[in-house]
């Protein structure tokens, strides 16, 4: 297959390496010319994804920020072949799908909303790897939900990447769930590390500290765009979290051990239930 990848950061670079390792021809594009040159010199990409090569690709992945993804597809849509499957890799789906589905319909190719559920706090092409997605989930937002041939095609295109699970959903549900599972977690971690006590953590911290602060290091520009784009659902999750954590705070302030134990027991029980 000929595979096109726009954006050669951690996600796009890992996709490129996975397809290249599986013996497919990869054409890449990145606004950073040094990254683009390195990807080509290292043999990860066979050539540049441009107006000519994009028309020869069976699949094109767009692995950039949501606004840039929409802009990229608007510029390149006229040159994409009608048999091409275009999949974005953005962390929000409503804004992207609402703009890209009509473009696909206008020019005759197929657009799929996609979100690979794997990553790292270490960004960039230099940290990308061919096995990043092995066994991972990928969320799919298709234009229709009653086309078995389309789903078979999606699975066939994605097979070389090594995803272990597919979640098919709507753009609305994707953004609602991601507000809780991803965006809230990043905000809580980023806020937690701002305690004055954080600078003195060495010698006093272990696994729980590492777990909670792992995603505090982030690409602020990217996460700012993702969170603002999904503010409708994210504000709801933050309100829920603030209401919940305030109960713990109030129990402690009142020295109400019984109330605190009940809160802790309920949280522990919920976690056990969800893990099963």
């Amino acid at each position: 297959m000929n595979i096109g990848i726009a954006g050669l950061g951690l996600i796009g670079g890992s996709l490129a390496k996975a397809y290249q390792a599986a013996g497919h021809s990869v054409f890449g594009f990145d606004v950073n010319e040094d990254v683009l040159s390195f990807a080509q010199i290292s043999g990860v990409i066979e050539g540049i994804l441009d107006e000519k090569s994009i028309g020869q690709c069976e699949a094109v992945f767009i692995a950039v920020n949501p606004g840039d993804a929409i802009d990229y597809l608007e510029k390149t849509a006229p040159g994409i072949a009608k048999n091409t499957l275009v999949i974005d890799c953005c962390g929000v789906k409503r804004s992207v799908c609402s703009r890209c589905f009509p473009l696909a319909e206008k020019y005759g190719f197929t657009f799929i909303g996609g979100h690979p559920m794997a990553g790292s706090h270490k960004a960039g092409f230099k940290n990308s790897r061919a096995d990043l997605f092995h066994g991972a989930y990928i969320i799919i937002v298709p234009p229709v939900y009653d086309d078995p041939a389309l789903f078979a095609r999606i699975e066939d295109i994605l097979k070389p990447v090594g995803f272990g699970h597919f979640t098919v959903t709507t753009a609305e549900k994707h953004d609602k769930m991601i507000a809780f599972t991803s965006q809230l977690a990043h905000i809580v971690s980023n806020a937690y590390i701002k305690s004055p006590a954080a600078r003195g953590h060495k010698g006093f911290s272990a696994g729980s500290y590492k777990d909670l602060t792992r995603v505090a290091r982030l690409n602020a520009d990217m996460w700012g765009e993702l969170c603002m784009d999904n503010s409708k659902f994210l504000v709801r999750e933050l309100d829920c979290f603030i209401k919940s954590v305030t109960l713990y705070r109030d129990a402690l302030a009142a020295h109400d051990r019984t109330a605190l134990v009940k809160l802790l027991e309920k949280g522990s029980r919920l976690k056990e239930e969800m893990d099963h």
Side-chain angles (χ1 to χ4, degrees), residues 212-261:
L212 190 50
T213 60
R214 184 181 66 82
V215 293
R217 282 183 61 186
L218 44 72
N219 180 325
D221 184 64
M222 181 189 77
W223 280 99
E225 181 176 347
L226 291 172
C227 291
M228 288 300 295
D229 207 327
N230 204 25
S231 61
K232 170 186 172 182
F233 292 124
L234 188 50
V235 167
R236 290 184 191 176
E237 290 299 334
L238 277 166
D239 286 344
C240 182
F241 177 76
I242 291 168
K243 181 180 178 181
S244 182
V245 79
T246 298
L247 295 176
Y248 292 80
R249 185 264 175 206
D250 289 348
L252 287 164
H255 297 280
D256 189 341
R257 184 178 185 275
T258 300
L260 180 61
V261 169

Side-chain angles (χ1 to χ4, degrees), residues 2-6 25-29 45-49 53 56-57:
N2 289 335
I3 302 295
I5 300 175
S25 297
V26 181
F27 297 88
F29 170 76
I45 65 172
E46 186 172 305
I48 307 299
L49 183 65
S53 60
Q56 302 169 357
C57 292

Side-chain angles (χ1 to χ4, degrees), residues 164-181:
H165 310 275
F166 289 75
T167 299
V168 179
T169 189
T170 63
E172 183 88 359
K173 184 171 182 182
H174 169 278
D175 288 1
K176 182 178 180 180
M177 293 305 300
I178 289 299
F180 170 69
T181 62

